[in-house]
Amino acid sequence: MDVIATHVNADFDCLGSMIAAKRLYPDAVLVFPGGQERGLRDFLLQSTLYAYGVKGVRDIDLQQISRLILVDVRSSARIGRLAEIVDKPGLEIHIYDHHPADEKTITGQFELIEEVGATTTILAHQFMQRGIAPTADEATMMMLGLYEDTGHLLFASTTPRDYQAAAFLLENGANLNTVADFLVREMSPEQIDLLNELLKSCKRKLINGVEVAIAYASIDYYVGDISSLVHKLKDIENLNVLIVAVRMEDRVFLVGRSQIPEVHVGELFQRFGGGGHAYASSATVKDIPLVQLLDLLEEELQKTVQSGYEARQLMSAPVKTLPISATIEDARELMTRFNFNAIPVLNAQHLVGIITRQVVEKAAHHKLQKMPVTEVMTTDFDTADPQTQLAELQRGIIDHNQRCIPVVEHGELVGIVTRTDLLRHLLGDRQKLAERLPVESGRGGARLKRKNLARLIDAQLPKFIRALLRQLGEVADTLDMKIYLVGGFVRDLLLRQENLDIDVVVEGDGIAFAEAFAKTAECRIRSHQKFGTAVIVLPDGFKIDVASARIEYYESPAALPQVEHSSIRHDLYRRDFTINTLTISLNEESYGQLLDFFGGQRDLKEKQIRVLHNLSLIEDPTRLFRAVRFEQRLGFRIGRQTERLMRGAVRMKLVKKVGGARIRNELRQILDEPQVISALRRLEQFDLLKFIDPHLHFDRTTAQMIVSAEKTSSWFDLLYTGEKYHRWLLYLFCLLNFLSDKGLQRVSAWLDLAPKYRDLLLQLPPARKALKRAYYRAGSGNAPKNSDIYHWFNGLSLEIVLFVMAGSDNEQVRKWVSQYVTDFRKVKVLLDGNGLIELGLKPGPHFHQVFLTLLNARLNGEIRTLEDERQLVREKFVAVKK
């Protein structure tokens, strides 16, 4: 006899999986080895499940079972009396499950175990692979299980395969109204009372540096579906970890939920005879008073919760230091340059003190700038080694009132943990080890949830990119370097936008890393020693930009930055906007983990462009243009504070100090954007175009011309000529069209255009003249010959010709330009110099006139063949000569 069974206290995922398994094993008997949750019991009362002949474990002879099919369970501790036969000789066991293994895991002859949100998902994919179509009732019951175990596809455990399974079930008639009726229920009065008791008792405790919430209640009546109350409580209180204990009569029901890897509630509840996942688990405990059980819970949490946080994971490195010979003035300058609040003082390589900004500023106030820092530095302070636990760091900073904890290894200063590092960790920004994304709840105090982006990487990126990222991490591991994906690649990954421009930063020597990578793959390296950067070029031309983590400071506003090696956090701090500071670890130990030091995810959520600090635009005014570019490209909005800072930087006229070449690069990128008109309009609103030229403005006429240029370039693209042209130049011509000839020369010089682009820009005046000739001819009614049209535009670049077409509002003129582009400019004379000599002409300057005559005749349709050309030469030139 074949039996399909699940775990005791069955839920909808058990039911959906059993119904699906019945299609794979049609002769099997469905058996519930225990009770069912309240929601499932209500469904069973109202459904037609009796048609499946579902039995209880007491209704069958266990010894007659020859094959046991277990769904949504693989632990002998959770299958009731069926555990008595799992070791029976000759019994064949098949297992379909998504739960992790435990100490009592059963081994089957056939196992299909996947880390998905629901076991129903596994079986739905089996249907897809085998071409099995469920009935509408089967699809509905499977959807109930899928939706319940994935929290309506919203739990962090949900995978792309769960969504695929849901789509499959919906296509096969799953009734979402039925799903909603049984999964979205109003709370009973008893449940409301119990939730109120849990809210009152809920307390947050810091266990091994991790915040865990515990709520409890004691009632004398039974209340079902506690798990739904746990979810409501977790959402109301915005909790990462919640343990609920409810005493009902002679037993205590435990339910746990966790969204962070430090707390594995499945392992925790195994110690109380329960089971489940790392993120969701339950247990039932008998004969232990609630108060005693709560004490046991805390003891087990102390053993189970692995903070995973040591000084080496929280510290910043390398550390900026001062020698003992440094003065207050030196300390003040260093703190201002790098925005530090405390700096270690070294005697040679030996740590002897810490000097704080508060002390430095007071000393400076008293005119003591030349005093040595040794006179006022702190010499009584705690230090840590790289393995120091979070609790000890916390005592040093909070209890001992230190601004920072130096991290020392073998007598050498290797890092520093600051108050900010600790505060960010304690408030939830624990991303160096954690796997989380933020819940953007406003700018004041967003708490962060763990999220690892490995699955997103696998789902979003091509296979060869995923392989490259893994390889980069492996090479970094061999060099004991930390490596991170940075920049627009990370931002666009989170926005689900395609971007395959890989930029990585290593904490260490970027060039040495690139050279090490080259030993593992066929590629070549281009390095730049001055900046510690390298480019890895693969055989197919694909490039990976590698940089050393560095810190920058500016000697003066708009100056080029001075660069020094630093940590990833300092490297990110030098970037332009918060949305570009997101980074993903590629090392094997932490692959896919997202680091967000500056609220970049929050700003992605709020669709805001914000600078990192208030001097950002003063230090690098090119960011004024970049802010507009990102705003328009992403459909975001420049934040209110950033907009105020932008207008202040414009009033200070700092752009002029930058130099035209850097502004040209920013302008070119803006003109290459799809939303070029809105971007130029924003530049006009911020009064930024005046820095390109005082007479330059973006008005309605210019906007209309660019719209026309967009249509013209699209028209040309559809010709599929294969010719390349610079669309940004076409838009630049439209923008600068109303400048005088001298104005064009002035802009060309200030932007420091390359000679080839400068020559094209200076073709604007003759292009205007050609357009005037065309307008005159169109107005006179005297149609030009084809050769006239050819000579109007011959010699002008393709960009200029397209600009002329875009700049004309006369249909006849536009037709003439289009004829030149599509036909006339391609016309060639077939005869060459040798052919003319064969016809009796002597070489000389007059050959130019001969070829011009032939070309005009061809353009005007007067000749068509090579023989026609020879005959024309004989008539007009050879005969005349004779």
Side-chain angles (χ1 to χ4, degrees):
M1 178 174 61
D2 290 352
V3 166
I4 298 171
T6 185
H7 59 74
V8 295
N9 201 30
D11 57 15
F12 279 112
D13 193 27
C14 298
L15 173 66
S17 301
M18 292 173 70
I19 294 300
K22 179 70 173 174
R23 290 294 299 272
L24 303 182
Y25 304 88
D27 297 328
V29 177
L30 300 180
V31 174
F32 282 120
Q36 300 89 38
E37 289 190 352
R38 175 190 168 190
L40 179 55
R41 288 201 309 274
D42 292 345
F43 176 81
L44 295 178
L45 290 173
Q46 301 179 38
S47 72
T48 58
L49 201 64
Y50 58 83
Y52 287 85
V54 181
K55 298 181 180 299
V57 72
R58 295 178 182 177
D59 301 327
I60 60 171
D61 183 352
L62 300 183
Q63 297 306 314
Q64 295 299 312
I65 300 175
S66 57
R67 179 162 58 177
L68 178 62
I69 300 101
L70 294 175
V71 296
D72 202 35
V73 67
R74 54 173 167 154
S75 173
S76 61
R78 304 188 70 204
I79 57 174
R81 287 186 56 210
L82 291 173
E84 299 171 10
I85 65 167
V86 293
D87 295 324
K88 188 181 79 168
L91 177 67
E92 184 179 349
I93 299 178
H94 292 196
I95 299 174
Y96 299 83
D97 193 21
H98 72 134
H99 292 89
D102 62 21
E103 296 176 353
K104 297 186 178 182
T105 293
I106 302 169
T107 300
Q109 284 76 20
F110 172 82
E111 295 183 351
L112 192 53
I113 314 297
E114 294 185 30
E115 290 186 12
V116 291
T119 301
T120 303
T121 294
I122 301 172
L123 289 151
H125 279 274
Q126 286 293 299
F127 279 25
M128 288 185 260
Q129 291 172 16
R130 302 186 189 190
I132 301 173
T135 66
D137 284 344
E138 289 170 340
T140 300
M141 286 186 277
M142 292 172 70
M143 189 72 95
L144 276 164
L146 175 57
Y147 262 45
E148 181 182 58
D149 255 31
T150 62
H152 297 206
L153 299 173
L154 293 175
F155 287 170
S157 57
T158 308
T159 70
R161 289 177 65 80
D162 295 304
Y163 278 92
Q164 293 163 3
F168 169 74
L169 296 174
L170 196 60
E171 289 169 352
N172 282 278
N175 189 324
L176 292 182
N177 288 328
T178 300
V179 173
D181 287 342
F182 285 96
L183 293 186
V184 183
R185 291 173 170 266
E186 294 293 331
M187 289 192 296
S188 66
E190 293 79 10
Q191 286 178 316
I192 293 173
D193 289 340
L194 177 55
L195 179 59
N196 187 47
E197 290 299 316
L198 294 175
L199 280 166
K200 290 178 182 178
S201 67
C202 187
K203 296 290 187 296
R204 304 177 191 231
K205 297 178 180 291
L206 199 62
I207 299 175
N208 296 337
V210 177
E211 186 182 83
V212 176
I214 300 175
Y216 58 89
S218 180
I219 55 179
D220 295 326
Y221 50 89
Y222 180 79
V223 174
D225 200 13
I226 297 178
S227 59
S228 66
L229 301 183
V230 174
H231 281 294
K232 289 183 183 296
L233 178 58
K234 182 176 68 68
D235 292 340
I236 291 171
E237 295 294 314
N238 192 21
L239 303 170
N240 283 326
V241 183
L242 173 61
I243 310 294
V244 167
V246 179
R247 184 197 65 78
M248 299 184 198
E249 298 177 347
D250 63 341
R251 63 192 65 190
V252 178
F253 295 90
L254 294 175
V255 179
R257 295 293 183 265
S258 172
Q259 296 182 152
I260 58 177
E262 291 91 343
V263 184
H264 191 303
V265 291
E267 290 182 0
L268 173 67
F269 282 8
Q270 282 179 24
R271 305 182 187 194
F272 295 93
H277 307 278
Y279 49 85
S281 188
S282 62
T284 303
V285 182
K286 294 182 179 180
D287 303 324
I288 299 180
L290 178 59
V291 175
Q292 183 180 346
L293 182 59
L294 292 173
D295 291 338
L296 287 173
L297 261 177
E298 289 200 35
E299 291 178 13
E300 292 301 328
L301 281 167
Q302 293 289 345
K303 301 173 187 176
T304 305
V305 175
Q306 302 294 325
S307 81
Y309 295 102
E310 298 175 348
R312 61 187 175 87
Q313 290 138 353
L314 297 175
M315 70 184 190
S316 299
V319 186
K320 291 293 179 187
T321 61
L322 288 166
I324 59 171
S325 59
T327 64
I328 292 296
E329 187 175 22
D330 297 330
R332 192 180 196 187
E333 191 276 333
L334 191 62
M335 288 175 171
T336 301
R337 177 185 297 174
F338 295 111
N339 198 31
F340 293 155
N341 289 314
I343 300 177
V345 180
L346 300 185
N347 182 0
Q349 298 301 315
H350 181 62
L351 177 65
V352 295
I354 298 174
I355 187 77
T356 65
R357 181 185 292 275
Q358 184 180 24
V359 171
V360 167
E361 292 299 333
K362 278 193 175 183
H365 175 73
H366 293 298
K367 314 295 185 190
L368 300 174
Q369 288 91 337
K370 301 301 181 182
M371 182 175 65
V373 294
T374 52
E375 297 293 330
V376 288
M377 69 183 183
T378 300
T379 56
D380 182 15
F381 52 87
D382 286 347
T383 63
D385 59 43
Q387 288 73 42
T388 298
Q389 294 292 312
L390 174 67
E392 293 183 49
L393 295 172
Q394 185 175 331
R395 280 194 295 272
I397 289 181
I398 297 177
D399 297 347
H400 298 175
N401 198 31
Q402 284 186 213
R403 288 190 175 273
C404 62
I405 301 287
V407 182
V408 179
E409 185 173 31
H410 306 305
E412 181 180 349
L413 182 66
V414 295
I416 193 166
V417 179
T418 67
R419 283 185 177 182
T420 302
D421 295 327
L422 181 65
L423 183 62
R424 181 174 284 111
H425 173 83
L426 292 177
L427 290 180
D429 188 9
R430 310 168 190 167
Q431 300 188 51
K432 290 195 174 183
L433 290 179
E435 306 172 0
R436 62 185 72 180
L437 284 169
V439 176
E440 289 83 358
S441 57
R443 294 192 58 82
R447 295 191 61 80
L448 302 178
K449 293 185 177 180
R450 295 175 185 247
K451 183 74 174 182
N452 188 291
L453 299 187
R455 286 179 179 170
L456 178 61
I457 290 172
D458 289 342
Q460 192 82 359
L461 302 179
K463 184 177 180 180
F464 85 97
I465 294 288
R466 302 199 304 267
L468 267 179
L469 299 183
R470 289 287 187 182
Q471 189 176 359
L472 289 165
E474 290 168 4
V475 173
D477 285 336
T478 62
L479 298 174
D480 197 25
M481 290 182 178
K482 293 181 180 179
I483 183 170
Y484 304 92
L485 271 172
V486 297
F489 184 95
V490 180
R491 178 198 66 227
D492 292 343
L493 178 68
L494 289 168
L495 291 174
R496 273 61 170 182
Q497 296 182 5
E498 183 176 344
N499 183 346
L500 300 183
D501 294 331
I502 296 180
D503 292 286
V504 296
V505 167
V506 297
E507 288 187 343
D509 189 334
I511 296 175
F513 169 83
E515 292 171 346
F517 181 88
K519 295 177 181 178
T520 68
E522 184 182 353
C523 62
R524 54 191 175 89
I525 305 297
R526 295 203 308 261
S527 58
H528 306 278
Q529 294 289 342
K530 180 179 178 181
F531 299 105
T533 62
V535 180
I536 299 172
V537 185
L538 301 180
D540 61 358
F542 189 85
K543 298 176 182 178
I544 304 169
D545 290 316
V546 181
S548 306
R550 57 195 191 268
I551 192 170
E552 293 179 350
Y553 63 90
Y554 295 78
E555 296 289 358
S556 61
L560 290 173
Q562 303 298 312
V563 177
E564 296 182 14
H565 286 293
S566 186
S567 65
I568 183 65
R569 182 175 171 187
H570 286 138
D571 185 90
L572 296 172
Y573 187 69
R574 68 185 178 82
R575 295 175 185 266
D576 45 19
F577 308 108
T578 58
I579 60 171
N580 294 330
T581 63
L582 299 166
T583 182
I584 298 173
S585 174
L586 295 182
N587 296 96
E588 182 179 2
E589 181 186 32
S590 52
Y591 182 83
Q593 291 174 3
L594 184 71
L595 280 74
D596 180 8
F597 295 105
F598 307 107
Q601 296 169 91
R602 172 199 60 211
D603 289 340
L604 284 181
K605 175 74 173 180
E606 295 177 0
K607 296 187 176 183
Q608 295 281 338
I609 305 295
R610 293 188 175 101
V611 292
L612 272 71
H613 56 88
N614 290 359
L615 293 178
S616 176
L617 301 173
I618 292 175
E619 292 177 342
D620 185 359
T622 62
R623 291 170 179 168
L624 294 163
F625 292 82
R626 221 170 301 154
V628 170
R629 174 159 58 90
F630 283 124
E631 178 190 52
Q632 299 307 311
R633 175 196 291 181
L634 301 174
F636 284 16
R637 189 73 181 174
I638 294 172
R640 189 181 306 171
Q641 168 72 355
T642 299
E643 180 171 340
R644 185 184 67 79
L645 295 171
M646 288 178 67
R647 297 195 184 281
V650 169
R651 287 194 297 271
M652 296 170 68
K653 300 181 180 179
L654 296 173
V655 174
K656 278 297 182 182
K657 296 184 179 181
V658 172
R662 292 173 65 191
I663 298 303
R664 176 200 66 221
N665 292 335
E666 296 297 333
L667 181 61
R668 175 173 178 171
Q669 292 185 75
I670 287 174
L671 295 176
D672 263 333
E673 292 290 333
Q675 307 298 330
V676 62
I677 291 178
S678 56
L680 290 173
R681 185 174 291 116
R682 286 293 272 165
L683 291 180
E684 176 72 22
Q685 290 171 359
F686 281 107
D687 213 14
L688 285 168
L689 292 177
K690 71 178 182 182
F691 295 110
I692 298 172
D693 189 90
H695 302 292
L696 187 61
H697 293 283
F698 183 77
D699 53 21
R700 184 175 181 180
T701 303
T702 306
Q704 290 173 341
M705 181 173 284
I706 291 181
V707 170
S708 180
E710 289 176 336
K711 294 178 180 177
T712 301
S713 62
S714 297
W715 165 81
F716 180 78
D717 293 341
L718 290 174
L719 296 177
Y720 299 108
T721 66
E723 290 179 87
K724 293 183 178 180
Y725 67 101
H726 298 288
R727 187 178 293 206
W728 71 270
L729 272 178
L730 174 58
Y731 296 151
L732 180 64
F733 297 153
C734 294
L735 179 63
L736 303 180
N737 179 47
F738 299 103
L739 292 183
S740 65
D741 293 356
K742 287 185 177 180
L744 292 174
Q745 293 175 354
R746 186 169 60 243
V747 169
S748 175
W750 189 75
L751 291 179
D752 194 21
L753 291 174
K756 61 178 180 179
Y757 297 140
R758 184 181 300 129
D759 292 343
L760 293 181
L761 182 60
L762 297 181
Q763 284 184 9
L764 269 181
R768 292 165 176 163
K769 293 178 181 178
L771 191 58
K772 285 181 180 179
R773 285 195 295 269
Y775 265 101
Y776 174 78
R777 189 64 68 89
S780 68
N782 183 17
K785 296 180 179 180
N786 294 347
S787 57
D788 294 332
I789 298 172
Y790 175 88
H791 292 298
W792 287 346
F793 305 119
N794 185 42
L796 299 177
S797 70
L798 179 58
E799 290 92 348
I800 285 289
V801 174
L802 294 177
F803 160 74
V804 170
M805 187 174 181
S808 172
D809 56 2
N810 185 295
E811 278 303 312
Q812 185 59 61
V813 173
R814 292 175 65 84
K815 179 181 178 181
W816 291 339
V817 178
S818 69
Q819 287 178 309
Y820 170 77
V821 172
T822 56
D823 299 318
F824 301 158
R825 68 192 181 102
K826 300 174 184 176
V827 173
K828 304 292 181 185
V829 173
L830 300 179
L831 274 174
D832 58 14
N834 292 329
L836 297 183
I837 292 172
E838 290 175 1
L839 290 172
L841 294 180
K842 293 183 179 180
H846 60 287
F847 269 26
H848 173 73
Q849 184 59 42
V850 175
F851 287 128
L852 183 60
T853 301
L854 290 172
L855 178 62
N856 289 339
R858 268 197 171 276
L859 287 165
N860 296 327
E862 297 166 2
I863 58 175
R864 297 184 182 279
T865 66
L866 179 61
E867 184 55 38
D868 289 343
E869 290 187 3
R870 290 182 177 133
Q871 184 60 33
L872 182 60
V873 171
R874 293 188 190 104
E875 293 174 358
K876 287 203 171 188
F877 297 99
V878 177
V880 171
K881 181 182 175 184
K882 292 180 177 179

